């Protein structure tokens, strides 16, 4: 009697890579003047009340979390009449110690650009560039190892991309956003580590979507529910990924890839159209040897 040949055992799933956290230098702004008194994105509704005390308590928990994770956090004072200063990521872009200021599209936020540049001048930054074209800081300019990913379509002007490339000396990849709910790049895409990213494909114009697939074939993809929970408005230190608690599916995917997802609740600040990353500007030091 012949015996059936043994079936080959399935190869075990590869282990996720070993992740390492790297301490970051961050800039934040307490929401002492935060309110929703105008609407410049689909998330803002002045008719919906904001609990200022709760917004501050949620922000403070994020601030203390960064400190507990070993990050250095510096603070800029919120100015009266500028309720969106809490969204520090929009205030500038800092790469290799160079600062490119922000120039806002909406008049309601225009004065924030100068306020943030004043902070950089007062805190020892020497290579500071006033922007010629509209760019909304790290809201639309996200830095990975090989590129600066540059969102456009709602806020940052395409003309700014050449300026960004000249200031930082890094290749810029333009990515067109097409869904007004994801009006900044940092609501639709996050850099996790090196050239590893996560994003929501439907937020991008088809050619930009194809470009992302080609440049980042192993990217983590967020579904609509997690994207609408602002799950991509996240901050990663290479191991720990701080993101909205409601993005549960995204957190599971991150854990499967060896990251440590940490959920937080910034529901009051979401009423202004921002979350974790919007509240966090990274101050990238000059590379070694520069």
């Amino acid at each position: 009697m012949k015996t059936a040949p043994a079936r080959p055992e399935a190869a075990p799933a590869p282990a996720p890579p070993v992740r390492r956290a790297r301490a970051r230098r961050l800039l934040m702004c307490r929401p002492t003047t935060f309110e929703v008194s105008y609407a410049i994105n689909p998330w803002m509704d002045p008719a919906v009340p904001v609990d200022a005390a709760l917004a501050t308590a949620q922000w403070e928990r994020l601030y203390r979390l960064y400190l507990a994770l070993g990050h250095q956090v510096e603070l800029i004072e919120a100015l009266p009449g500028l309720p969106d200063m809490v969204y520090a990521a929009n205030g500038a872009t800092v790469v290799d110690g160079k600062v490119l200021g922000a120039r806002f599209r909406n008049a309601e936020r225009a004065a924030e650009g100068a306020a943030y540049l004043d902070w950089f001048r007062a805190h020892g930054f020497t290579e500071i560039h006033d922007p010629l074209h509209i760019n909304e800081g790290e809201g639309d300019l996200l830095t990975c190892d090989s590129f600066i990913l540059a969102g456009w379509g709602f806020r940052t002007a395409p003309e700014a991309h050449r300026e960004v490339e000249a200031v930082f000396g890094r290749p810029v990849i333009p990515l067109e956003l097409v869904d007004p709910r994801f009006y900044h790049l940092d609501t639709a895409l996050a850099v996790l580590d090196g050239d590893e990213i996560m994003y929501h494909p439907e937020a991008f114009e088809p050619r930009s979507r194809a470009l992302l697939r080609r440049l980042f074939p192993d990217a983590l993809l967020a579904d609509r529910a997690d994207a609408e929970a602002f799950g991509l408005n996240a901050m990663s230190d290479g191991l720990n990924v701080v993101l909205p608690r409601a993005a549960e599916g995204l957190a599971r995917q991150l854990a499967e890839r060896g990251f440590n997802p940490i959920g937080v609740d910034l529901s009051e600040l979401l009423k202004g159209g921002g979350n974790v990353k919007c509240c966090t500007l990274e101050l990238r030091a000059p590379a070694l040897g520069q």
Side-chain angles (χ1 to χ4, degrees), residues 214-226:
R214 180 168 64 82
L215 294 176
F216 305 98
D218 298 322
L220 189 158
L221 303 182
D223 64 19
R224 178 172 294 275
D226 284 335

Side-chain angles (χ1 to χ4, degrees), residues 173-189:
I173 305 298
L175 298 168
E176 184 179 0
L177 298 162
V178 293
D179 187 330
R181 291 169 300 174
F182 308 112
Y183 59 96
H184 274 152
L185 183 63
D186 71 355
T187 67
L189 184 150

Side-chain angles (χ1 to χ4, degrees), residues 57-240:
Q58 291 176 343
W59 182 95
E60 290 285 350
R61 285 195 285 271
L62 177 63
Y63 170 67
R64 292 195 297 271
L65 173 60
Y66 284 148
L67 295 177
L69 292 173
H71 303 307
Q72 177 186 352
V73 183
E74 302 191 42
L75 299 174
I76 181 173
E77 184 177 352
L79 300 181
L82 297 178
D84 286 345
M85 270 193 74
V86 64
Y87 303 124
N90 303 151
T93 305
V94 185
V95 180
D96 299 330
K98 304 171 185 176
V99 180
L100 175 62
R103 183 177 176 187
F104 289 86
R105 181 170 295 278
N106 297 100
E108 293 88 345
R109 300 194 67 182
E112 293 180 43
Y116 273 91
L117 284 185
D118 286 345
W119 185 91
F120 283 105
R121 292 188 180 101
H123 287 78
F125 289 81
T126 57
E127 192 167 344
I128 297 174
H129 301 264
D130 286 286
L132 298 175
H133 301 288
I134 293 171
N135 86 77
E136 300 206 351
E138 280 199 329
D140 273 327
L141 301 172
L142 298 177
T143 303
C144 58
D145 276 1
S146 299
F147 315 104
I148 294 177
L149 305 175
W152 68 281
F154 295 105
R155 297 294 183 85
T156 294
E159 295 81 5
H161 297 167
R162 192 170 298 174
E163 183 178 14
V164 171
E165 201 163 47
V167 168
F168 297 122
R170 295 193 181 200
V172 170
I173 305 298
L175 298 168
E176 184 179 0
L177 298 162
V178 293
D179 187 330
R181 291 169 300 174
F182 308 112
Y183 59 96
H184 274 152
L185 183 63
D186 71 355
T187 67
L189 184 150
V191 177
L192 294 170
D193 191 33
D195 283 335
E196 194 169 359
I197 69 168
M198 58 181 182
Y199 68 97
H200 177 51
E202 294 174 29
F204 296 92
E205 182 271 339
R207 286 169 295 184
S208 295
R209 200 181 306 170
L211 182 58
L212 285 168
R213 284 198 302 267
R214 180 168 64 82
L215 294 176
F216 305 98
D218 298 322
L220 189 158
L221 303 182
D223 64 19
R224 178 172 294 275
D226 284 335
E228 290 180 349
F230 260 49
L232 293 161
N233 197 244
M235 179 65 189
S236 174
D237 63 15
L239 168 63
N240 304 293

